[in-house]
Short mmCIF file of all heavy atoms in Angstrom, two decimals:
data_model
loop_
_atom_site.label_atom_id
_atom_site.label_comp_id
_atom_site.label_asym_id
_atom_site.label_seq_id
_atom_site.Cartn_x
_atom_site.Cartn_y
_atom_site.Cartn_z
N GLY B 364 0.80 -26.49 8.17
CA GLY B 364 0.61 -27.07 6.85
C GLY B 364 1.67 -26.62 5.86
O GLY B 364 2.78 -26.25 6.22
N ASP B 365 1.29 -26.64 4.59
CA ASP B 365 2.24 -26.35 3.52
C ASP B 365 2.47 -24.87 3.29
O ASP B 365 3.49 -24.47 2.76
CB ASP B 365 1.76 -26.98 2.20
CG ASP B 365 1.74 -28.49 2.28
OD1 ASP B 365 2.54 -29.04 3.06
OD2 ASP B 365 0.93 -29.11 1.56
N GLY B 366 1.51 -24.04 3.62
CA GLY B 366 1.64 -22.60 3.38
C GLY B 366 0.37 -21.87 3.78
O GLY B 366 -0.48 -22.41 4.47
N ILE B 367 0.25 -20.62 3.32
CA ILE B 367 -0.90 -19.80 3.66
C ILE B 367 -1.46 -19.15 2.40
O ILE B 367 -0.80 -19.06 1.38
CB ILE B 367 -0.54 -18.71 4.69
CG1 ILE B 367 0.52 -17.76 4.13
CG2 ILE B 367 -0.08 -19.32 5.99
CD1 ILE B 367 0.73 -16.52 4.96
N GLY B 368 -2.68 -18.66 2.51
CA GLY B 368 -3.28 -17.87 1.44
C GLY B 368 -3.08 -16.40 1.74
O GLY B 368 -3.14 -15.97 2.90
N ILE B 369 -2.82 -15.61 0.70
CA ILE B 369 -2.60 -14.17 0.86
C ILE B 369 -3.76 -13.43 0.21
O ILE B 369 -4.04 -13.64 -0.97
CB ILE B 369 -1.28 -13.73 0.21
CG1 ILE B 369 -0.08 -14.49 0.77
CG2 ILE B 369 -1.08 -12.23 0.35
CD1 ILE B 369 0.28 -14.13 2.18
N TYR B 370 -4.42 -12.57 0.99
CA TYR B 370 -5.52 -11.74 0.50
C TYR B 370 -5.18 -10.28 0.76
O TYR B 370 -4.65 -9.95 1.81
CB TYR B 370 -6.82 -12.08 1.22
CG TYR B 370 -7.32 -13.47 0.93
CD1 TYR B 370 -6.91 -14.56 1.69
CD2 TYR B 370 -8.22 -13.70 -0.10
CE1 TYR B 370 -7.36 -15.84 1.42
CE2 TYR B 370 -8.68 -14.97 -0.38
CZ TYR B 370 -8.25 -16.03 0.39
OH TYR B 370 -8.70 -17.29 0.11
N PHE B 371 -5.52 -9.42 -0.20
CA PHE B 371 -5.34 -7.98 -0.04
C PHE B 371 -6.52 -7.29 -0.70
O PHE B 371 -6.78 -7.49 -1.88
CB PHE B 371 -4.01 -7.54 -0.67
CG PHE B 371 -3.62 -6.13 -0.34
CD1 PHE B 371 -3.33 -5.76 0.96
CD2 PHE B 371 -3.55 -5.17 -1.33
CE1 PHE B 371 -2.97 -4.47 1.27
CE2 PHE B 371 -3.18 -3.88 -1.03
CZ PHE B 371 -2.90 -3.52 0.27
N PHE B 372 -7.23 -6.44 0.04
CA PHE B 372 -8.46 -5.78 -0.43
C PHE B 372 -9.49 -6.81 -0.92
O PHE B 372 -10.08 -6.66 -1.98
CB PHE B 372 -8.18 -4.80 -1.57
CG PHE B 372 -7.62 -3.49 -1.14
CD1 PHE B 372 -6.50 -2.99 -1.75
CD2 PHE B 372 -8.21 -2.75 -0.14
CE1 PHE B 372 -5.98 -1.77 -1.37
CE2 PHE B 372 -7.71 -1.54 0.25
CZ PHE B 372 -6.58 -1.05 -0.37
N LEU B 373 -9.64 -7.88 -0.18
CA LEU B 373 -10.59 -8.96 -0.50
C LEU B 373 -10.27 -9.66 -1.82
O LEU B 373 -11.10 -10.36 -2.37
CB LEU B 373 -12.03 -8.45 -0.51
CG LEU B 373 -12.52 -7.80 0.79
CD1 LEU B 373 -13.91 -7.22 0.60
CD2 LEU B 373 -12.51 -8.80 1.91
N ILE B 374 -9.06 -9.48 -2.33
CA ILE B 374 -8.63 -10.14 -3.56
C ILE B 374 -7.59 -11.19 -3.18
O ILE B 374 -6.63 -10.90 -2.46
CB ILE B 374 -8.02 -9.13 -4.55
CG1 ILE B 374 -9.08 -8.10 -4.95
CG2 ILE B 374 -7.46 -9.83 -5.77
CD1 ILE B 374 -8.52 -6.96 -5.76
N GLU B 375 -7.79 -12.39 -3.67
CA GLU B 375 -6.85 -13.46 -3.39
C GLU B 375 -5.62 -13.31 -4.28
O GLU B 375 -5.71 -13.35 -5.50
CB GLU B 375 -7.51 -14.81 -3.63
CG GLU B 375 -6.61 -15.97 -3.35
CD GLU B 375 -7.29 -17.30 -3.60
OE1 GLU B 375 -8.18 -17.36 -4.46
OE2 GLU B 375 -6.91 -18.26 -2.93
N ILE B 376 -4.46 -13.12 -3.66
CA ILE B 376 -3.22 -13.00 -4.42
C ILE B 376 -2.69 -14.40 -4.72
O ILE B 376 -2.31 -14.69 -5.84
CB ILE B 376 -2.19 -12.17 -3.65
CG1 ILE B 376 -2.70 -10.73 -3.50
CG2 ILE B 376 -0.84 -12.19 -4.35
CD1 ILE B 376 -1.85 -9.86 -2.66
N THR B 377 -2.67 -15.24 -3.72
CA THR B 377 -2.28 -16.63 -3.92
C THR B 377 -3.00 -17.47 -2.87
O THR B 377 -3.24 -17.02 -1.76
CB THR B 377 -0.76 -16.83 -3.83
OG1 THR B 377 -0.45 -18.20 -4.07
CG2 THR B 377 -0.20 -16.42 -2.50
N ASP B 378 -3.36 -18.68 -3.25
CA ASP B 378 -4.09 -19.53 -2.31
C ASP B 378 -3.16 -20.43 -1.50
O ASP B 378 -3.54 -20.91 -0.44
CB ASP B 378 -5.15 -20.35 -3.01
CG ASP B 378 -4.58 -21.28 -4.07
OD1 ASP B 378 -3.41 -21.11 -4.43
OD2 ASP B 378 -5.31 -22.18 -4.53
N LEU B 379 -1.95 -20.68 -1.97
CA LEU B 379 -1.02 -21.50 -1.22
C LEU B 379 0.40 -20.97 -1.40
O LEU B 379 1.11 -21.32 -2.34
CB LEU B 379 -1.10 -22.96 -1.68
CG LEU B 379 -0.27 -23.95 -0.86
CD1 LEU B 379 -0.69 -23.94 0.60
CD2 LEU B 379 -0.42 -25.35 -1.43
N LEU B 380 0.78 -20.09 -0.51
CA LEU B 380 2.13 -19.52 -0.53
C LEU B 380 3.02 -20.36 0.36
O LEU B 380 2.75 -20.50 1.55
CB LEU B 380 2.09 -18.07 -0.03
CG LEU B 380 3.42 -17.34 0.03
CD1 LEU B 380 3.96 -17.13 -1.38
CD2 LEU B 380 3.26 -16.03 0.74
N PRO B 381 4.10 -20.94 -0.20
CA PRO B 381 5.00 -21.73 0.64
C PRO B 381 5.60 -20.87 1.76
O PRO B 381 5.84 -19.68 1.60
CB PRO B 381 6.10 -22.18 -0.33
CG PRO B 381 5.50 -22.04 -1.69
CD PRO B 381 4.50 -20.93 -1.60
N ALA B 382 5.84 -21.50 2.89
CA ALA B 382 6.31 -20.79 4.08
C ALA B 382 7.62 -20.05 3.84
O ALA B 382 7.82 -18.95 4.35
CB ALA B 382 6.46 -21.76 5.25
N GLU B 383 8.51 -20.60 3.03
CA GLU B 383 9.80 -19.95 2.81
C GLU B 383 9.70 -18.69 1.95
O GLU B 383 10.63 -17.89 1.91
CB GLU B 383 10.82 -20.92 2.19
CG GLU B 383 10.45 -21.46 0.84
CD GLU B 383 9.63 -22.75 0.91
OE1 GLU B 383 9.31 -23.23 2.01
OE2 GLU B 383 9.30 -23.26 -0.17
N ARG B 384 8.57 -18.46 1.26
CA ARG B 384 8.42 -17.27 0.42
C ARG B 384 7.64 -16.15 1.13
O ARG B 384 7.48 -15.07 0.57
CB ARG B 384 7.70 -17.65 -0.87
CG ARG B 384 8.58 -18.60 -1.69
CD ARG B 384 8.29 -18.67 -3.13
NE ARG B 384 8.21 -17.37 -3.76
CZ ARG B 384 7.39 -17.14 -4.78
NH1 ARG B 384 6.61 -18.09 -5.25
NH2 ARG B 384 7.36 -15.95 -5.34
N ILE B 385 7.18 -16.37 2.34
CA ILE B 385 6.42 -15.36 3.08
C ILE B 385 7.23 -14.09 3.30
O ILE B 385 6.72 -12.98 3.06
CB ILE B 385 5.87 -15.93 4.40
CG1 ILE B 385 4.82 -16.99 4.10
CG2 ILE B 385 5.28 -14.83 5.27
CD1 ILE B 385 4.33 -17.74 5.32
N PRO B 386 8.50 -14.15 3.72
CA PRO B 386 9.27 -12.90 3.90
C PRO B 386 9.42 -12.09 2.61
O PRO B 386 9.41 -10.85 2.66
CB PRO B 386 10.63 -13.39 4.40
CG PRO B 386 10.34 -14.69 5.07
CD PRO B 386 9.25 -15.30 4.25
N SER B 387 9.52 -12.74 1.46
CA SER B 387 9.64 -11.98 0.22
C SER B 387 8.34 -11.25 -0.11
O SER B 387 8.37 -10.14 -0.65
CB SER B 387 10.08 -12.88 -0.93
OG SER B 387 9.09 -13.86 -1.22
N TYR B 388 7.21 -11.83 0.21
CA TYR B 388 5.93 -11.15 0.01
C TYR B 388 5.80 -9.98 0.99
O TYR B 388 5.25 -8.93 0.64
CB TYR B 388 4.76 -12.12 0.19
CG TYR B 388 4.38 -12.82 -1.09
CD1 TYR B 388 5.20 -13.77 -1.67
CD2 TYR B 388 3.20 -12.51 -1.74
CE1 TYR B 388 4.86 -14.42 -2.83
CE2 TYR B 388 2.84 -13.14 -2.92
CZ TYR B 388 3.67 -14.09 -3.46
OH TYR B 388 3.33 -14.72 -4.63
N ALA B 389 6.31 -10.15 2.22
CA ALA B 389 6.28 -9.05 3.19
C ALA B 389 7.10 -7.87 2.67
O ALA B 389 6.65 -6.72 2.75
CB ALA B 389 6.81 -9.53 4.54
#
Side-chain angles (χ1 to χ4, degrees):
D365 295 332
I367 61 169
I369 303 289
Y370 294 88
F371 190 65
F372 282 130
L373 302 175
I374 298 172
E375 180 180 30
I376 295 174
T377 182
D378 61 346
L379 186 59
L380 179 67
E383 62 270 2
R384 295 202 50 213
I385 293 173
S387 65
Y388 271 70

